[in-house]
Amino acid sequence: MSVKREDVEKIVEAIGGKENIEVATHCVTRLRFSLVDEGKVNKQALDDNELAKGYFSTQGQFQVIIGPGIVDKAYDELIAITGGQRASKDDVKAAAIKHKSPIQQFIKTLSDIFIPLLPALVTAGLLLGINNLLTGTDIFFKGQSLVQVYPQWADFAAIVNTIASTAFTFLPALVGWSAATRFGGSPLLGVVLGLILVNPSLLSAYDYAKAYNEGTVPTWNLFGFHVNAVGYQGQVLPMLVAAYVLVVIEKWLNRKVPDSLKLLVVAPVALLVTGFLAFVIIGPVTFTLGNWLTAGVVWVFSTVPWLGGLLYGGLYAPLVITGMHHTFLAVDLQLINSTGGTFLWPMLALSNIAQGAAALAMMFVIRSQKMKSLSATTSITAFLGVTEPAVFGVNVRFKYPLFMGMLGSAIGGVLLTMNNVRAFAVGVGGLPGFLAIDVANWGIFFIGMAIALVVPFVGTLLWGKLATRKQTAGGEMNTAEAELADDDVKKVEHGQSPLPASEKVASATQASTASNPLDVLELAAPITGQAVPLDRVPDPAFAEKQMGEGIAIEPTEGKVYAPFDGTVAHVIDKSKHAVILEHSSGVQILVHVGIDTVGLKGDGFKVHVATGDKVSKGQLLLEFDMDTIQAAGYPTISPVIVPIGQTMIEQIEEVPGAVEAGKTPVLRIHLTKAHAS
């Protein structure tokens, strides 16, 4: 497919002209821009441009969806028109960050550091919950714990506790690894610096308070200047600052030291200088700041507990929408390690439950079967601690479920803070959240969970039914009209005029009553895993189907196989993360491994085919390392897309569920008679 130069020129004009483009690059489906001023974008002009399939702005990048197979041609025209330099995705990211406010940049930095640590922290929280079940009193036996009644379980509980507490004990090492990576330094040096701060020869931070009261805190005498020989177990702030200083020194040395001496100079000097600064200045100062932060939060929740619960419990969901919720993970960890528990995390758990309950209620309000399915699946993920699909996919879209969820979690938050309910670890922020709560507070927490379930569910249900009744008071829509309502929303969002309901219903009726006028291309799963609707993909271009219909697969195996006999229309040579196949009928499909994995630049991928190759159904096309993708912070969920604009396609059916590559069908593509083969 060719690209008209005038269409690309119109895109350049629509985004404010070449003077408004700082940096531009592309991936397999879209053009990515860092713009000087996004306010200059003419969205109507983009809507009217046939080449632009959609557009959106995220994390400081403005992205225009072109589609697979032609986006590289559009990019070539773009470079020729603007006279700009070719850039990488990292270049666009770096430029986009400049447009964020200092607060946004700070939040983004914390998110980048702590998100990779969540699997370890959540796992530790769950294991501590299991240990809590084994050692807590009054759970299974009155006045006694399970290990007291059955002593043979005591050592098992001790091992579980050892495994669980390790992530928190050596938290500075984890933070050091992630922070050094984020700041552009050596992850290994970050780990070593973190281990230095928790060296067993130091007084443990957990024992500092007792030693201070007894006057037995050990010190180093540095030429008459006494420095506490205290570790920073479980501390966050000292490690964040120390890691930043370490990377600054490391980068400076790398610029100044000859290559032949770097191995002998860079790491030793960087660690030595940073280590001294950490114990002499950084540690004491940030430790004090951390204590002030802890004291401030404790003061609020001790002095006006209902206000703290109302605000944090009610506003946590909006924090998720803005991304600011990641900032509070550092506060949680600081509270846990300074006071033995956090007020905040229990309210996070209730907020997730409340948003899940509101999303579930929408299943009984809306008529679209597709939205019903989305409501059910996203509510389950929210109940299990992952709230973004429910919040973005359902609640924000309809608005009132979001507010009902906020109301339920606010009421539950007030209850928890009024009763001083704390979490001793960061666990799963949903229904299993009670495992991280002290056993003595389980009763109150369960009441809070009930509030977070009932209030949003009932409130959303009643409000939704009332709203539906008002909308249909002038004439009830029939089922066919209701099922097609979502298509209207999408068309309006893209500047298109929806068909009158009578025409749509007639069309749908004709399609359903016709005597099998189409041949069907049954598309086998290219990847083994769990097939889910595209709405679950954390990328608006795929989730909103701006590039085409399809399905997504959560992989359990890092291999992509041909779903039919055909030809490799295009394979991404550099990043190796996507492939386009063409069937003999002319139907093309895109298999895109992971989200934003173009940023890996091919690391973790191995391609076994080339553009133009003939392939057979079940043939191995490419391999990918899921651990590499996840370690880089990218989702592994993989969209399988039938790009829009293929006139031979009449209808596409999704087949979700567990799938096996090359065998289980995931899509049924109905072809017109003229193109069926």
Side-chain angles (χ1 to χ4, degrees), residues 30 374 378 389 392-393 532-545 547 550-554 592 594-596 635-641:
R30 67 202 78 167
L374 180 64
T378 58
F392 290 107
V532 297
L534 279 179
D535 307 83
R536 296 273 294 275
V537 178
D539 182 294
F542 291 115
E544 296 176 8
K545 301 184 179 179
M547 290 180 292
I551 203 161
I553 299 177
E554 287 279 10
H592 191 288
I595 301 301
D596 280 339
T636 57
I637 189 169
S638 302
V640 181
I641 298 293

PDB file of all heavy atoms in Angstrom, residues 30 374 378 389 392-393 532-545 547 550-554 592 594-596 635-641:
ATOM      1  N   ARG A  30       2.425   3.342  14.501  1.00  0.00           N
ATOM      2  CA  ARG A  30       2.105   4.761  14.667  1.00  0.00           C
ATOM      3  C   ARG A  30       3.340   5.656  14.589  1.00  0.00           C
ATOM      4  O   ARG A  30       4.463   5.220  14.823  1.00  0.00           O
ATOM      5  CB  ARG A  30       1.405   4.962  16.008  1.00  0.00           C
ATOM      6  CG  ARG A  30       2.297   4.709  17.203  1.00  0.00           C
ATOM      7  CD  ARG A  30       1.521   4.384  18.460  1.00  0.00           C
ATOM      8  NE  ARG A  30       1.055   3.019  18.472  1.00  0.00           N
ATOM      9  CZ  ARG A  30       0.565   2.402  19.538  1.00  0.00           C
ATOM     10  NH1 ARG A  30       0.438   3.064  20.657  1.00  0.00           N
ATOM     11  NH2 ARG A  30       0.164   1.166  19.481  1.00  0.00           N
ATOM     12  N   LEU A 374     -16.677  -6.838  29.324  1.00  0.00           N
ATOM     13  CA  LEU A 374     -15.582  -6.009  29.830  1.00  0.00           C
ATOM     14  C   LEU A 374     -15.783  -5.695  31.308  1.00  0.00           C
ATOM     15  O   LEU A 374     -14.842  -5.733  32.100  1.00  0.00           O
ATOM     16  CB  LEU A 374     -15.497  -4.717  29.021  1.00  0.00           C
ATOM     17  CG  LEU A 374     -14.401  -3.730  29.437  1.00  0.00           C
ATOM     18  CD1 LEU A 374     -13.027  -4.342  29.220  1.00  0.00           C
ATOM     19  CD2 LEU A 374     -14.535  -2.423  28.668  1.00  0.00           C
ATOM     20  N   THR A 378     -12.970  -6.988  34.005  1.00  0.00           N
ATOM     21  CA  THR A 378     -12.163  -5.968  34.685  1.00  0.00           C
ATOM     22  C   THR A 378     -12.474  -5.892  36.173  1.00  0.00           C
ATOM     23  O   THR A 378     -11.608  -5.537  36.968  1.00  0.00           O
ATOM     24  CB  THR A 378     -12.379  -4.580  34.049  1.00  0.00           C
ATOM     25  OG1 THR A 378     -13.773  -4.233  34.104  1.00  0.00           O
ATOM     26  CG2 THR A 378     -11.917  -4.573  32.604  1.00  0.00           C
ATOM     27  N   PRO A 389      -7.632  -1.620  34.542  1.00  0.00           N
ATOM     28  CA  PRO A 389      -8.603  -1.992  33.499  1.00  0.00           C
ATOM     29  C   PRO A 389     -10.033  -1.581  33.838  1.00  0.00           C
ATOM     30  O   PRO A 389     -10.767  -1.108  32.971  1.00  0.00           O
ATOM     31  CB  PRO A 389      -8.456  -3.520  33.422  1.00  0.00           C
ATOM     32  CG  PRO A 389      -7.074  -3.790  33.892  1.00  0.00           C
ATOM     33  CD  PRO A 389      -6.814  -2.771  34.968  1.00  0.00           C
ATOM     34  N   PHE A 392     -10.159   2.558  33.824  1.00  0.00           N
ATOM     35  CA  PHE A 392     -10.077   3.181  32.506  1.00  0.00           C
ATOM     36  C   PHE A 392     -11.076   2.580  31.513  1.00  0.00           C
ATOM     37  O   PHE A 392     -11.621   3.292  30.670  1.00  0.00           O
ATOM     38  CB  PHE A 392      -8.655   3.040  31.944  1.00  0.00           C
ATOM     39  CG  PHE A 392      -7.647   3.880  32.659  1.00  0.00           C
ATOM     40  CD1 PHE A 392      -6.719   3.309  33.515  1.00  0.00           C
ATOM     41  CD2 PHE A 392      -7.625   5.251  32.502  1.00  0.00           C
ATOM     42  CE1 PHE A 392      -5.786   4.076  34.186  1.00  0.00           C
ATOM     43  CE2 PHE A 392      -6.695   6.039  33.167  1.00  0.00           C
ATOM     44  CZ  PHE A 392      -5.776   5.452  34.011  1.00  0.00           C
ATOM     45  N   GLY A 393     -11.289   1.257  31.614  1.00  0.00           N
ATOM     46  CA  GLY A 393     -12.150   0.597  30.637  1.00  0.00           C
ATOM     47  C   GLY A 393     -13.626   0.812  30.855  1.00  0.00           C
ATOM     48  O   GLY A 393     -14.413   0.825  29.902  1.00  0.00           O
ATOM     49  N   VAL A 532      -7.837 -12.764  25.425  1.00  0.00           N
ATOM     50  CA  VAL A 532      -8.724 -11.820  26.110  1.00  0.00           C
ATOM     51  C   VAL A 532      -9.110 -10.711  25.129  1.00  0.00           C
ATOM     52  O   VAL A 532      -8.453 -10.516  24.108  1.00  0.00           O
ATOM     53  CB  VAL A 532      -8.036 -11.194  27.345  1.00  0.00           C
ATOM     54  CG1 VAL A 532      -7.716 -12.255  28.372  1.00  0.00           C
ATOM     55  CG2 VAL A 532      -6.764 -10.446  26.946  1.00  0.00           C
ATOM     56  N   PRO A 533     -10.194  -9.968  25.417  1.00  0.00           N
ATOM     57  CA  PRO A 533     -10.591  -8.875  24.527  1.00  0.00           C
ATOM     58  C   PRO A 533      -9.514  -7.800  24.438  1.00  0.00           C
ATOM     59  O   PRO A 533      -8.716  -7.604  25.360  1.00  0.00           O
ATOM     60  CB  PRO A 533     -11.863  -8.330  25.195  1.00  0.00           C
ATOM     61  CG  PRO A 533     -12.378  -9.449  26.035  1.00  0.00           C
ATOM     62  CD  PRO A 533     -11.168 -10.184  26.509  1.00  0.00           C
ATOM     63  N   LEU A 534      -9.515  -7.083  23.329  1.00  0.00           N
ATOM     64  CA  LEU A 534      -8.534  -6.013  23.134  1.00  0.00           C
ATOM     65  C   LEU A 534      -8.648  -4.916  24.178  1.00  0.00           C
ATOM     66  O   LEU A 534      -7.680  -4.196  24.436  1.00  0.00           O
ATOM     67  CB  LEU A 534      -8.703  -5.385  21.738  1.00  0.00           C
ATOM     68  CG  LEU A 534      -8.079  -6.124  20.557  1.00  0.00           C
ATOM     69  CD1 LEU A 534      -8.361  -5.371  19.267  1.00  0.00           C
ATOM     70  CD2 LEU A 534      -6.580  -6.302  20.742  1.00  0.00           C
ATOM     71  N   ASP A 535      -9.842  -4.772  24.781  1.00  0.00           N
ATOM     72  CA  ASP A 535     -10.019  -3.746  25.808  1.00  0.00           C
ATOM     73  C   ASP A 535      -9.028  -3.903  26.950  1.00  0.00           C
ATOM     74  O   ASP A 535      -8.745  -2.938  27.677  1.00  0.00           O
ATOM     75  CB  ASP A 535     -11.441  -3.807  26.387  1.00  0.00           C
ATOM     76  CG  ASP A 535     -12.506  -3.754  25.314  1.00  0.00           C
ATOM     77  OD1 ASP A 535     -12.795  -4.826  24.748  1.00  0.00           O
ATOM     78  OD2 ASP A 535     -13.030  -2.661  25.044  1.00  0.00           O
ATOM     79  N   ARG A 536      -8.501  -5.105  27.135  1.00  0.00           N
ATOM     80  CA  ARG A 536      -7.578  -5.380  28.242  1.00  0.00           C
ATOM     81  C   ARG A 536      -6.158  -4.904  27.954  1.00  0.00           C
ATOM     82  O   ARG A 536      -5.310  -4.901  28.849  1.00  0.00           O
ATOM     83  CB  ARG A 536      -7.552  -6.898  28.521  1.00  0.00           C
ATOM     84  CG  ARG A 536      -8.863  -7.477  29.009  1.00  0.00           C
ATOM     85  CD  ARG A 536      -9.010  -7.373  30.497  1.00  0.00           C
ATOM     86  NE  ARG A 536      -8.021  -8.199  31.168  1.00  0.00           N
ATOM     87  CZ  ARG A 536      -8.173  -9.504  31.415  1.00  0.00           C
ATOM     88  NH1 ARG A 536      -9.267 -10.124  31.041  1.00  0.00           N
ATOM     89  NH2 ARG A 536      -7.230 -10.186  32.054  1.00  0.00           N
ATOM     90  N   VAL A 537      -5.888  -4.509  26.712  1.00  0.00           N
ATOM     91  CA  VAL A 537      -4.535  -4.098  26.341  1.00  0.00           C
ATOM     92  C   VAL A 537      -4.271  -2.682  26.874  1.00  0.00           C
ATOM     93  O   VAL A 537      -5.049  -1.768  26.616  1.00  0.00           O
ATOM     94  CB  VAL A 537      -4.349  -4.120  24.814  1.00  0.00           C
ATOM     95  CG1 VAL A 537      -2.952  -3.633  24.435  1.00  0.00           C
ATOM     96  CG2 VAL A 537      -4.571  -5.536  24.280  1.00  0.00           C
ATOM     97  N   PRO A 538      -3.184  -2.483  27.631  1.00  0.00           N
ATOM     98  CA  PRO A 538      -2.894  -1.156  28.202  1.00  0.00           C
ATOM     99  C   PRO A 538      -2.269  -0.196  27.197  1.00  0.00           C
ATOM    100  O   PRO A 538      -1.210   0.379  27.421  1.00  0.00           O
ATOM    101  CB  PRO A 538      -1.917  -1.488  29.341  1.00  0.00           C
ATOM    102  CG  PRO A 538      -1.199  -2.699  28.867  1.00  0.00           C
ATOM    103  CD  PRO A 538      -2.213  -3.500  28.084  1.00  0.00           C
ATOM    104  N   ASP A 539      -2.946  -0.033  26.068  1.00  0.00           N
ATOM    105  CA  ASP A 539      -2.497   0.884  25.032  1.00  0.00           C
ATOM    106  C   ASP A 539      -3.741   1.324  24.276  1.00  0.00           C
ATOM    107  O   ASP A 539      -4.456   0.490  23.699  1.00  0.00           O
ATOM    108  CB  ASP A 539      -1.512   0.193  24.082  1.00  0.00           C
ATOM    109  CG  ASP A 539      -0.971   1.133  23.009  1.00  0.00           C
ATOM    110  OD1 ASP A 539      -1.785   1.564  22.167  1.00  0.00           O
ATOM    111  OD2 ASP A 539       0.236   1.415  23.002  1.00  0.00           O
ATOM    112  N   PRO A 540      -4.053   2.627  24.263  1.00  0.00           N
ATOM    113  CA  PRO A 540      -5.317   3.082  23.674  1.00  0.00           C
ATOM    114  C   PRO A 540      -5.459   2.766  22.198  1.00  0.00           C
ATOM    115  O   PRO A 540      -6.575   2.561  21.719  1.00  0.00           O
ATOM    116  CB  PRO A 540      -5.301   4.591  23.934  1.00  0.00           C
ATOM    117  CG  PRO A 540      -3.884   4.941  24.229  1.00  0.00           C
ATOM    118  CD  PRO A 540      -3.281   3.728  24.861  1.00  0.00           C
ATOM    119  N   ALA A 541      -4.344   2.728  21.458  1.00  0.00           N
ATOM    120  CA  ALA A 541      -4.437   2.445  20.026  1.00  0.00           C
ATOM    121  C   ALA A 541      -5.012   1.058  19.781  1.00  0.00           C
ATOM    122  O   ALA A 541      -5.810   0.850  18.852  1.00  0.00           O
ATOM    123  CB  ALA A 541      -3.068   2.571  19.382  1.00  0.00           C
ATOM    124  N   PHE A 542      -4.613   0.089  20.596  1.00  0.00           N
ATOM    125  CA  PHE A 542      -5.145  -1.261  20.474  1.00  0.00           C
ATOM    126  C   PHE A 542      -6.486  -1.392  21.192  1.00  0.00           C
ATOM    127  O   PHE A 542      -7.450  -1.947  20.651  1.00  0.00           O
ATOM    128  CB  PHE A 542      -4.152  -2.276  21.046  1.00  0.00           C
ATOM    129  CG  PHE A 542      -2.893  -2.432  20.244  1.00  0.00           C
ATOM    130  CD1 PHE A 542      -1.668  -2.074  20.778  1.00  0.00           C
ATOM    131  CD2 PHE A 542      -2.927  -2.935  18.954  1.00  0.00           C
ATOM    132  CE1 PHE A 542      -0.498  -2.212  20.047  1.00  0.00           C
ATOM    133  CE2 PHE A 542      -1.768  -3.076  18.212  1.00  0.00           C
ATOM    134  CZ  PHE A 542      -0.549  -2.714  18.756  1.00  0.00           C
ATOM    135  N   ALA A 543      -6.550  -0.897  22.434  1.00  0.00           N
ATOM    136  CA  ALA A 543      -7.740  -1.091  23.260  1.00  0.00           C
ATOM    137  C   ALA A 543      -8.978  -0.454  22.646  1.00  0.00           C
ATOM    138  O   ALA A 543     -10.087  -0.986  22.759  1.00  0.00           O
ATOM    139  CB  ALA A 543      -7.503  -0.533  24.662  1.00  0.00           C
ATOM    140  N   GLU A 544      -8.818   0.696  21.997  1.00  0.00           N
ATOM    141  CA  GLU A 544      -9.952   1.369  21.374  1.00  0.00           C
ATOM    142  C   GLU A 544     -10.148   0.943  19.921  1.00  0.00           C
ATOM    143  O   GLU A 544     -10.962   1.517  19.203  1.00  0.00           O
ATOM    144  CB  GLU A 544      -9.746   2.885  21.452  1.00  0.00           C
ATOM    145  CG  GLU A 544      -9.723   3.405  22.887  1.00  0.00           C
ATOM    146  CD  GLU A 544      -9.426   4.891  22.965  1.00  0.00           C
ATOM    147  OE1 GLU A 544      -9.394   5.555  21.898  1.00  0.00           O
ATOM    148  OE2 GLU A 544      -9.227   5.388  24.087  1.00  0.00           O
ATOM    149  N   LYS A 545      -9.381  -0.059  19.489  1.00  0.00           N
ATOM    150  CA  LYS A 545      -9.509  -0.649  18.152  1.00  0.00           C
ATOM    151  C   LYS A 545      -9.356   0.388  17.049  1.00  0.00           C
ATOM    152  O   LYS A 545     -10.046   0.345  16.035  1.00  0.00           O
ATOM    153  CB  LYS A 545     -10.851  -1.387  18.028  1.00  0.00           C
ATOM    154  CG  LYS A 545     -11.021  -2.492  19.058  1.00  0.00           C
ATOM    155  CD  LYS A 545     -12.295  -3.274  18.868  1.00  0.00           C
ATOM    156  CE  LYS A 545     -12.389  -4.390  19.909  1.00  0.00           C
ATOM    157  NZ  LYS A 545     -13.621  -5.177  19.780  1.00  0.00           N
ATOM    158  N   MET A 547      -6.815   0.659  15.216  1.00  0.00           N
ATOM    159  CA  MET A 547      -6.082   0.076  14.093  1.00  0.00           C
ATOM    160  C   MET A 547      -6.821  -1.093  13.466  1.00  0.00           C
ATOM    161  O   MET A 547      -6.478  -1.538  12.386  1.00  0.00           O
ATOM    162  CB  MET A 547      -4.700  -0.393  14.550  1.00  0.00           C
ATOM    163  CG  MET A 547      -3.771   0.732  14.879  1.00  0.00           C
ATOM    164  SD  MET A 547      -2.170   0.152  15.409  1.00  0.00           S
ATOM    165  CE  MET A 547      -2.577  -0.607  16.960  1.00  0.00           C
ATOM    166  N   GLY A 550      -9.712  -7.414  16.568  1.00  0.00           N
ATOM    167  CA  GLY A 550      -8.801  -8.500  16.898  1.00  0.00           C
ATOM    168  C   GLY A 550      -8.984  -8.987  18.307  1.00  0.00           C
ATOM    169  O   GLY A 550     -10.052  -8.844  18.898  1.00  0.00           O
ATOM    170  N   ILE A 551      -7.915  -9.526  18.848  1.00  0.00           N
ATOM    171  CA  ILE A 551      -7.937 -10.103  20.187  1.00  0.00           C
ATOM    172  C   ILE A 551      -6.525  -9.963  20.750  1.00  0.00           C
ATOM    173  O   ILE A 551      -5.588  -9.616  20.018  1.00  0.00           O
ATOM    174  CB  ILE A 551      -8.390 -11.583  20.144  1.00  0.00           C
ATOM    175  CG1 ILE A 551      -8.968 -12.049  21.471  1.00  0.00           C
ATOM    176  CG2 ILE A 551      -7.262 -12.500  19.650  1.00  0.00           C
ATOM    177  CD1 ILE A 551      -9.815 -13.299  21.360  1.00  0.00           C
ATOM    178  N   ALA A 552      -6.366 -10.180  22.032  1.00  0.00           N
ATOM    179  CA  ALA A 552      -5.040 -10.129  22.652  1.00  0.00           C
ATOM    180  C   ALA A 552      -4.783 -11.439  23.382  1.00  0.00           C
ATOM    181  O   ALA A 552      -5.723 -12.109  23.813  1.00  0.00           O
ATOM    182  CB  ALA A 552      -4.940  -8.950  23.619  1.00  0.00           C
ATOM    183  N   ILE A 553      -3.522 -11.788  23.515  1.00  0.00           N
ATOM    184  CA  ILE A 553      -3.153 -13.046  24.181  1.00  0.00           C
ATOM    185  C   ILE A 553      -2.138 -12.759  25.277  1.00  0.00           C
ATOM    186  O   ILE A 553      -1.108 -12.122  25.028  1.00  0.00           O
ATOM    187  CB  ILE A 553      -2.568 -14.060  23.171  1.00  0.00           C
ATOM    188  CG1 ILE A 553      -3.601 -14.397  22.088  1.00  0.00           C
ATOM    189  CG2 ILE A 553      -2.127 -15.337  23.890  1.00  0.00           C
ATOM    190  CD1 ILE A 553      -3.084 -15.333  21.014  1.00  0.00           C
ATOM    191  N   GLU A 554      -2.463 -13.203  26.483  1.00  0.00           N
ATOM    192  CA  GLU A 554      -1.496 -13.192  27.587  1.00  0.00           C
ATOM    193  C   GLU A 554      -0.659 -14.457  27.438  1.00  0.00           C
ATOM    194  O   GLU A 554      -1.135 -15.557  27.704  1.00  0.00           O
ATOM    195  CB  GLU A 554      -2.212 -13.192  28.938  1.00  0.00           C
ATOM    196  CG  GLU A 554      -2.868 -11.878  29.303  1.00  0.00           C
ATOM    197  CD  GLU A 554      -1.874 -10.875  29.883  1.00  0.00           C
ATOM    198  OE1 GLU A 554      -0.659 -11.147  29.814  1.00  0.00           O
ATOM    199  OE2 GLU A 554      -2.323  -9.839  30.388  1.00  0.00           O
ATOM    200  N   HIS A 592       1.633  -8.562  17.325  1.00  0.00           N
ATOM    201  CA  HIS A 592       2.489  -7.574  17.992  1.00  0.00           C
ATOM    202  C   HIS A 592       2.828  -8.113  19.386  1.00  0.00           C
ATOM    203  O   HIS A 592       1.971  -8.167  20.258  1.00  0.00           O
ATOM    204  CB  HIS A 592       1.741  -6.246  18.101  1.00  0.00           C
ATOM    205  CG  HIS A 592       2.583  -5.086  18.525  1.00  0.00           C
ATOM    206  ND1 HIS A 592       3.053  -4.940  19.809  1.00  0.00           N
ATOM    207  CD2 HIS A 592       3.032  -3.999  17.837  1.00  0.00           C
ATOM    208  CE1 HIS A 592       3.747  -3.826  19.898  1.00  0.00           C
ATOM    209  NE2 HIS A 592       3.755  -3.229  18.712  1.00  0.00           N
ATOM    210  N   GLY A 594       3.870  -8.006  22.973  1.00  0.00           N
ATOM    211  CA  GLY A 594       4.034  -7.047  24.057  1.00  0.00           C
ATOM    212  C   GLY A 594       3.605  -5.647  23.658  1.00  0.00           C
ATOM    213  O   GLY A 594       3.189  -5.389  22.526  1.00  0.00           O
ATOM    214  N   ILE A 595       3.703  -4.727  24.617  1.00  0.00           N
ATOM    215  CA  ILE A 595       3.335  -3.332  24.400  1.00  0.00           C
ATOM    216  C   ILE A 595       4.573  -2.460  24.583  1.00  0.00           C
ATOM    217  O   ILE A 595       5.282  -2.579  25.580  1.00  0.00           O
ATOM    218  CB  ILE A 595       2.225  -2.894  25.383  1.00  0.00           C
ATOM    219  CG1 ILE A 595       0.992  -3.778  25.198  1.00  0.00           C
ATOM    220  CG2 ILE A 595       1.880  -1.425  25.188  1.00  0.00           C
ATOM    221  CD1 ILE A 595       0.402  -3.749  23.805  1.00  0.00           C
ATOM    222  N   ASP A 596       4.815  -1.604  23.606  1.00  0.00           N
ATOM    223  CA  ASP A 596       5.969  -0.694  23.611  1.00  0.00           C
ATOM    224  C   ASP A 596       7.299  -1.438  23.582  1.00  0.00           C
ATOM    225  O   ASP A 596       8.344  -0.882  23.940  1.00  0.00           O
ATOM    226  CB  ASP A 596       5.939   0.238  24.825  1.00  0.00           C
ATOM    227  CG  ASP A 596       4.996   1.414  24.624  1.00  0.00           C
ATOM    228  OD1 ASP A 596       4.692   1.718  23.456  1.00  0.00           O
ATOM    229  OD2 ASP A 596       4.575   2.012  25.621  1.00  0.00           O
ATOM    230  N   PRO A 635       4.539  -4.656  29.329  1.00  0.00           N
ATOM    231  CA  PRO A 635       3.559  -5.741  29.406  1.00  0.00           C
ATOM    232  C   PRO A 635       3.816  -6.778  28.315  1.00  0.00           C
ATOM    233  O   PRO A 635       4.215  -6.425  27.200  1.00  0.00           O
ATOM    234  CB  PRO A 635       2.216  -5.035  29.183  1.00  0.00           C
ATOM    235  CG  PRO A 635       2.478  -3.581  29.422  1.00  0.00           C
ATOM    236  CD  PRO A 635       3.902  -3.358  29.027  1.00  0.00           C
ATOM    237  N   THR A 636       3.579  -8.043  28.609  1.00  0.00           N
ATOM    238  CA  THR A 636       3.772  -9.100  27.611  1.00  0.00           C
ATOM    239  C   THR A 636       2.512  -9.380  26.807  1.00  0.00           C
ATOM    240  O   THR A 636       2.566 -10.113  25.825  1.00  0.00           O
ATOM    241  CB  THR A 636       4.221 -10.405  28.282  1.00  0.00           C
ATOM    242  OG1 THR A 636       3.250 -10.779  29.276  1.00  0.00           O
ATOM    243  CG2 THR A 636       5.579 -10.258  28.940  1.00  0.00           C
ATOM    244  N   ILE A 637       1.369  -8.818  27.219  1.00  0.00           N
ATOM    245  CA  ILE A 637       0.130  -9.059  26.494  1.00  0.00           C
ATOM    246  C   ILE A 637       0.315  -8.673  25.035  1.00  0.00           C
ATOM    247  O   ILE A 637       0.860  -7.625  24.711  1.00  0.00           O
ATOM    248  CB  ILE A 637      -1.044  -8.289  27.136  1.00  0.00           C
ATOM    249  CG1 ILE A 637      -2.373  -8.723  26.507  1.00  0.00           C
ATOM    250  CG2 ILE A 637      -0.840  -6.789  27.071  1.00  0.00           C
ATOM    251  CD1 ILE A 637      -3.584  -8.211  27.248  1.00  0.00           C
ATOM    252  N   SER A 638      -0.119  -9.555  24.108  1.00  0.00           N
ATOM    253  CA  SER A 638       0.230  -9.420  22.693  1.00  0.00           C
ATOM    254  C   SER A 638      -1.022  -9.317  21.825  1.00  0.00           C
ATOM    255  O   SER A 638      -1.772 -10.289  21.696  1.00  0.00           O
ATOM    256  CB  SER A 638       1.069 -10.616  22.247  1.00  0.00           C
ATOM    257  OG  SER A 638       2.252 -10.726  23.043  1.00  0.00           O
ATOM    258  N   PRO A 639      -1.270  -8.165  21.211  1.00  0.00           N
ATOM    259  CA  PRO A 639      -2.428  -8.015  20.326  1.00  0.00           C
ATOM    260  C   PRO A 639      -2.259  -8.786  19.019  1.00  0.00           C
ATOM    261  O   PRO A 639      -1.169  -8.833  18.444  1.00  0.00           O
ATOM    262  CB  PRO A 639      -2.485  -6.508  20.062  1.00  0.00           C
ATOM    263  CG  PRO A 639      -1.636  -5.885  21.136  1.00  0.00           C
ATOM    264  CD  PRO A 639      -0.577  -6.900  21.444  1.00  0.00           C
ATOM    265  N   VAL A 640      -3.352  -9.386  18.568  1.00  0.00           N
ATOM    266  CA  VAL A 640      -3.425 -10.015  17.247  1.00  0.00           C
ATOM    267  C   VAL A 640      -4.491  -9.235  16.492  1.00  0.00           C
ATOM    268  O   VAL A 640      -5.684  -9.338  16.797  1.00  0.00           O
ATOM    269  CB  VAL A 640      -3.791 -11.503  17.340  1.00  0.00           C
ATOM    270  CG1 VAL A 640      -3.840 -12.122  15.955  1.00  0.00           C
ATOM    271  CG2 VAL A 640      -2.789 -12.247  18.222  1.00  0.00           C
ATOM    272  N   ILE A 641      -4.086  -8.424  15.510  1.00  0.00           N
ATOM    273  CA  ILE A 641      -4.949  -7.419  14.904  1.00  0.00           C
ATOM    274  C   ILE A 641      -5.209  -7.738  13.435  1.00  0.00           C
ATOM    275  O   ILE A 641      -4.307  -8.159  12.701  1.00  0.00           O
ATOM    276  CB  ILE A 641      -4.294  -6.022  15.001  1.00  0.00           C
ATOM    277  CG1 ILE A 641      -4.106  -5.626  16.465  1.00  0.00           C
ATOM    278  CG2 ILE A 641      -5.127  -4.973  14.281  1.00  0.00           C
ATOM    279  CD1 ILE A 641      -5.388  -5.400  17.192  1.00  0.00           C
TER     280      ILE A 641
END
